[in-house]
Amino acid sequence: MAAINSAPSEHIYPEIELFVKAGGDGESIGNCPFSQRLFMILWLKGVIFNVTTVDLKRKPADLQNLAPGTNPPFLTFNGEVKTDVNKIEEFLEDKLVPPRYPKLSARYPESNSAGNDVFAKFSAYIKNAQKDANESLEKALLKALKKLDDYLNTPLPEEIDATSTEEDICSKRKYLDGDYLTLADCNLLPKLHIIKIVALKYRNFEIPKEMTGIWRYLNNAYEREEFVNTCPANREIQIAYLDVAKRMK
């Protein structure tokens, strides 16, 4: 178990500690999109917090007592344990509010649901071991990715000039809901990154370059420290899927 302090050492209210899955060495960040989701939210909020990586093979007794029967991610907020990822997200958005902390909720409901089936389609694709089913599962994944790509390339209301006569305007925004990262991005980006790494490694599948919305989205995310510094190493992701990615028969 290793602790990482995300900010200068000073006491400030509230006291927050995030517990995330550790990597193979027991100390680095492990592959867990839910852990990264909460890590990103806290970083974007700008609150001071500690991160503790938990080695699931050697879970310390004090953590077992802190959150019995619970695996990371979970957090403590002023000593109170929070264990459900969705509820933690809602709790943090409710507690860490403006003007001190930024609001991270998406403005448009469609941003929250964009790409919501991509990871499920990927999971079915990567776990499949039957050659006969591979093509149809890959098509299903591509269809889900295309739907996400279409959303990212469709202009948001504020991007549309009512006086313009130009047709087929393509969005230039950086993220799902605009040019600022939101809770929707914290949920989707870690999963999309896993898809990119794992599908290439075990299926030689790449997100098509013509899906310009997705690639613009990913490339903008890779420019943000809140994302890249909370990502596990590529090798950690690949190892996590070593037994999940079934060989074709």
Side-chain angles (χ1 to χ4, degrees):
M1 182 173 70
I4 306 167
N5 196 320
S6 72
S9 179
E10 58 178 292
H11 182 75
I12 189 168
Y13 187 86
E15 290 186 352
I16 302 173
E17 185 163 9
L18 175 65
F19 297 85
V20 301
K21 178 183 175 183
D25 61 3
E27 295 188 356
S28 61
I29 299 169
N31 175 68
C32 176
F34 306 106
S35 292
Q36 187 178 5
R37 175 181 171 185
L38 296 181
F39 201 162
M40 286 181 68
I41 290 170
L42 289 169
W43 198 316
L44 287 165
K45 281 290 185 183
V47 66
I48 294 174
F49 64 102
N50 287 323
V51 178
T52 297
T53 54
V54 180
D55 186 350
L56 298 182
K57 297 176 183 177
R58 296 181 291 275
K59 193 174 179 181
D62 56 341
L63 285 189
Q64 292 179 6
N65 295 331
L66 182 66
T70 302
N71 284 328
F74 57 90
L75 63 75
T76 58
F77 190 98
N78 290 335
E80 183 180 354
V81 181
K82 304 287 182 181
T83 59
D84 181 275
V85 174
N86 290 329
K87 290 181 179 178
I88 290 172
E89 179 183 273
E90 293 173 7
F91 175 82
L92 293 174
E93 186 70 351
D94 183 57
K95 288 291 184 181
L96 305 176
V97 297
R100 188 169 199 173
Y101 307 107
K103 181 177 180 290
L104 296 179
S105 297
R107 296 168 298 161
Y108 302 105
E110 297 84 359
S111 297
N112 291 316
S113 58
N116 60 359
D117 59 342
V118 169
F119 201 68
K121 300 299 183 186
F122 157 74
S123 295
Y125 173 61
I126 205 69
K127 292 175 182 178
N128 172 57
Q130 304 301 320
K131 281 186 178 180
D132 293 345
N134 186 66
E135 185 177 348
S136 63
L137 290 170
E138 185 173 303
K139 284 182 178 178
L141 173 58
L142 283 167
K143 184 178 179 180
L145 287 168
K146 181 63 168 63
K147 185 179 177 182
L148 171 61
D149 186 65
D150 287 344
Y151 180 72
L152 288 164
N153 278 331
T154 300
L156 295 174
E158 67 265 24
E159 293 182 281
I160 299 173
D161 183 354
T163 63
S164 175
T165 58
E166 186 179 351
E167 296 181 2
D168 299 324
I169 300 172
C170 185
S171 176
K172 296 180 180 179
R173 69 184 185 276
K174 294 181 178 180
Y175 310 112
L176 285 172
D177 204 59
D179 288 337
Y180 299 94
L181 288 167
T182 64
L183 297 176
D185 300 299
C186 295
N187 182 27
L188 182 60
L189 278 170
K191 297 173 182 176
L192 201 56
H193 179 65
I194 289 172
I195 292 171
K196 184 173 81 77
I197 299 298
V198 175
L200 179 61
K201 172 69 175 177
Y202 294 108
R203 292 291 184 269
N204 198 30
F205 171 92
E206 290 189 81
I207 298 171
K209 294 300 180 185
E210 56 265 29
M211 292 188 181
T212 55
I214 290 179
W215 281 107
R216 184 183 69 249
Y217 181 45
L218 281 171
N219 289 332
N220 279 314
Y222 292 137
E223 294 294 321
R224 295 293 296 263
E225 63 177 5
E226 299 95 338
F227 180 60
V228 295
N229 289 344
T230 57
C231 279
N234 289 355
R235 183 66 179 153
E236 283 291 341
I237 298 173
Q238 292 168 348
I239 290 173
Y241 277 84
L242 185 62
D243 295 327
V244 176
K246 303 296 182 182
R247 290 187 176 184
M248 292 292 172
K249 296 179 182 178

